[in-house]
């Protein structure tokens, strides 16, 4: 399946109002400083250390799955032995196990980090529990399909599940895992992707019927959750960077990534961040760091890979990274993170932090530092 990307081609530069070069020249000295590699590495180390010192959830919880994905990216960027030691200590503490529900994508997201570490260390004990749970998931029907009709019934699952199946399939040379990921992803896409807004609904409870009836924001718009779509963007990066250029289904993910990227830069707010409700920014006026972090990560990756036009997208990434750094306290706490929830309707402030917000910030920095 291919998705049309032409619908936005004519208006993007006008919507942004400047080219990447013009934006770069207009940055203040203070803003230019946040793009210096030394500064970025310092921020990644500071945020990682602060978050590791302030644990909040069970290590194998989905929240930490997103966090440790960012921690691994911070290690790759900084080559910090302290970070690598922390990652290895985490795996040894969990005995490289996923969480309890074998068929729930939230409970295997921590396996992303196990697989990344396995590629460094080549120790089979790091990978065997992941292999066991994915094989069970592939062969044993579970409660998620029974209760919801599909396994990945909420859009966040597209960050949690597909990268694990794709990474494991490539590591173990098991194409059936990539096929399974494709099948489940398409089920979620067909159910939740809105072709008019070019965004994902969080789950089926946010879909409108043919008469336009359903959950609405205060301005009458349909609810499209920033962090949920950020999860999808982050997951697309994780999948695309694994698949070979000639992989038969890569074009689907690539076109979806382009389509969502084009829509998201239209919805970015002047401070560089996205609001928790993408189509009703006034309802929740504070910039939300976790969704914004994932978006910044994905857009920067797209530029770095030559997938997204630099002149069009660099201004958005620059504004996002500047805005994200204003959410980080001097001691390294990433604030302005919406609490756990399934939609935008949770209040937050500069004091609000969550481990996945830190993970998103670390992922963003790991790609921003590569911009040329």
């Amino acid at each position: 399946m291919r998705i049309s990307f032409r619908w936005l081609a004519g208006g993007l530069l006008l919507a942004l109002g400047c080219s990447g070069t013009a934006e770069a020249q207009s940055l203040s000295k203070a803003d230019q400083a946040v793009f210096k590699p030394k500064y970025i590495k310092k921020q990644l180390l500071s945020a990682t250390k602060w978050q590791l010192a302030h644990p909040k959830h069970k290590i194998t919880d989905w929240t930490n799955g997103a966090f440790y994905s960012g921690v691994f990216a911070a290690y790759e960027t900084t080559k910090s032995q302290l970070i690598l030691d922390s990652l290895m200590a985490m795996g040894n503490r969990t005995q490289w196990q996923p969480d309890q529900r074998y068929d729930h994508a939230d409970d295997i997201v921590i396996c992303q980090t196990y697989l990344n570490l396995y590629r460094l260390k080549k120790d089979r004990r790091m990978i065997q529990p992941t292999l066991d749970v994915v094989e069970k998931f592939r062969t044993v029907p579970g409660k998620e399909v029974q209760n919801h009709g599909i396994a990945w019934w909420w859009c966040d699952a597209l960050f949690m599940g597909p990268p694990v199946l794709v990474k494991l399939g490539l590591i173990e040379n098991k194409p059936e895992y990539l096929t399974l990921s494709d099948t489940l992803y398409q089920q979620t896409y067909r159910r939740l992707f809105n072709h008019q807004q070019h965004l994902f609904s969080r789950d089926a409870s946010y879909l409108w019927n043919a008469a336009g009836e359903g959950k609405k924001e205060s301005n009458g718009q349909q609810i499209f959750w920033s962090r949920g779509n950020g999860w999808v963007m982050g997951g697309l990066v994780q999948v695309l960077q694994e698949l070979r250029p000639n992989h038969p289904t890569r074009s689907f993910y690539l076109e979806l990534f382009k389509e969502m990227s084009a829509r998201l830069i239209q919805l970015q707010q002047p401070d560089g961040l996205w609001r928790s409700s993408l189509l009703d920014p006034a309802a929740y006026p504070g910039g939300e760091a976790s969704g914004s972090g994932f978006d910044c990560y994905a857009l920067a990756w797209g530029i770095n890979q030559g997938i997204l036009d630099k002149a069009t997208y660099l201004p958005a990434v620059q504004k996002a990274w500047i805005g994200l750094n204003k959410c980080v306290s001097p001691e390294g706490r990433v604030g302005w993170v919406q609490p756990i929830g399934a939609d935008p309707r949770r209040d937050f402030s500069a004091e609000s932090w969550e481990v996945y917000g830190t993970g998103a910030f670390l992922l963003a920095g790991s790609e921003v530092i590569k911009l040329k």
Side-chain angles (χ1 to χ4, degrees):
M1 178 184 295
R2 293 186 67 83
I3 305 166
S4 174
F5 183 53
R6 298 177 181 174
W7 65 278
L8 279 173
L12 286 173
L13 283 172
L14 287 175
L16 287 167
C18 55
S19 71
T21 301
E23 179 73 8
Q25 291 173 344
S26 69
L27 295 178
S28 68
K29 285 188 176 181
D31 287 341
Q32 290 175 27
V34 305
F35 294 94
K36 295 185 181 300
K38 184 177 179 180
Y39 175 87
I40 294 174
K41 290 180 181 180
K42 179 172 175 276
Q43 286 290 84
L44 297 187
L45 282 167
S46 176
T48 300
K49 289 177 182 178
W50 188 91
Q51 195 62 76
L52 288 171
H54 295 81
K56 198 171 189 179
H57 306 282
K58 181 181 179 181
I59 296 178
T60 51
D61 189 62
W62 64 268
T63 52
N64 277 318
F67 169 55
Y68 278 105
S69 180
V71 174
F72 186 83
Y75 164 70
E76 288 191 305
T77 301
T78 64
K79 300 302 180 186
S80 164
Q81 189 63 44
L82 182 148
I83 293 180
L84 181 58
D85 289 346
S86 297
L87 287 164
M88 291 299 296
M90 179 274 291
N92 286 320
R93 195 155 59 247
T94 64
Q95 297 184 313
W96 310 98
Q97 294 287 336
D99 215 331
Q100 296 178 346
R101 298 170 295 180
Y102 76 93
D103 64 331
H104 199 295
D106 281 359
D107 287 13
I108 65 168
V109 63
I110 192 65
C111 299
Q112 287 184 26
T113 301
Y114 300 158
L115 296 172
N116 289 335
L117 289 168
Y118 171 77
R119 283 172 163 166
L120 289 180
K121 302 294 186 179
K122 299 295 191 293
D123 183 341
R124 290 296 298 183
R125 69 193 178 95
M126 298 178 174
I127 199 175
Q128 192 61 49
T130 300
L131 189 59
D132 292 343
V133 76
V134 169
E135 189 60 27
K136 183 176 181 181
F137 176 54
R138 189 177 73 88
T139 56
V140 180
K143 291 182 179 178
E144 298 307 314
V145 173
Q146 179 183 333
N147 293 337
H148 300 280
I150 61 175
W152 296 341
W153 50 267
W154 70 114
C155 72
D156 323 20
L158 300 182
F159 176 84
M160 314 299 183
V164 174
L165 269 61
V166 171
K167 286 175 189 285
L168 186 64
L170 293 173
I171 289 170
E172 293 291 283
N173 192 26
K174 288 185 176 287
E176 60 268 31
Y177 293 167
L178 280 75
T179 300
L180 176 61
S181 183
D182 286 339
T183 299
L184 300 183
Y185 202 111
Q186 287 288 344
Q187 291 174 353
T188 308
Y189 173 79
R190 288 194 295 269
R191 178 178 290 192
L192 299 181
F193 189 70
N194 184 296
H195 292 275
Q196 288 71 48
Q197 293 296 339
H198 316 280
L199 299 167
F200 279 83
S201 296
R202 193 271 175 178
D203 57 56
S205 71
Y206 292 90
L207 301 176
W208 284 7
N209 63 22
E213 300 168 334
K215 295 177 181 177
K216 293 180 172 68
E217 287 291 11
S218 56
N219 65 354
Q221 293 287 335
Q222 195 167 354
I223 298 172
F224 291 99
W225 182 34
S226 175
R227 184 161 68 238
N229 281 278
W231 288 121
V232 175
M233 290 295 287
L236 281 168
V237 170
Q238 300 271 346
V239 169
L240 283 167
Q241 65 189 5
E242 295 288 338
L243 297 179
R244 299 184 312 274
N246 63 347
H247 190 275
T249 62
R250 191 176 192 274
S251 61
F252 165 76
Y253 298 107
L254 185 62
E255 294 303 316
L256 179 59
F257 176 78
K258 291 178 180 178
E259 182 175 359
M260 292 185 68
S261 296
R263 183 60 171 136
L264 284 167
I265 62 170
Q266 290 188 326
L267 299 170
Q268 187 181 28
Q269 298 302 301
D271 62 359
L273 304 180
W274 285 262
R275 301 302 180 256
S276 54
S277 182
L278 289 172
L279 302 189
D280 191 7
Y284 314 97
E288 201 282 309
S290 64
S292 298
F294 283 113
D295 291 341
C296 181
Y297 162 59
L299 297 178
W301 180 85
I303 294 171
N304 289 330
Q305 297 300 311
I307 293 169
L308 300 179
D309 176 63
K310 185 176 180 181
T312 302
Y313 288 90
L314 181 60
V317 172
Q318 288 177 319
K319 289 190 293 184
W321 183 242
I322 291 167
L324 284 168
N325 276 274
K326 292 177 180 176
C327 297
V328 182
S329 71
E331 64 269 26
R333 184 195 65 220
V334 179
W336 289 103
V337 178
Q338 184 194 2
I340 294 170
D343 63 26
R345 296 168 179 155
R346 297 294 303 276
D347 198 17
F348 56 96
S349 68
E351 305 303 314
S352 304
W353 61 271
E354 260 296 352
V355 295
Y356 48 76
T358 305
F361 177 78
L362 297 175
L363 287 168
S366 73
E367 284 298 327
V368 170
I369 199 171
K370 299 174 188 174
L371 291 169
K372 304 298 184 185

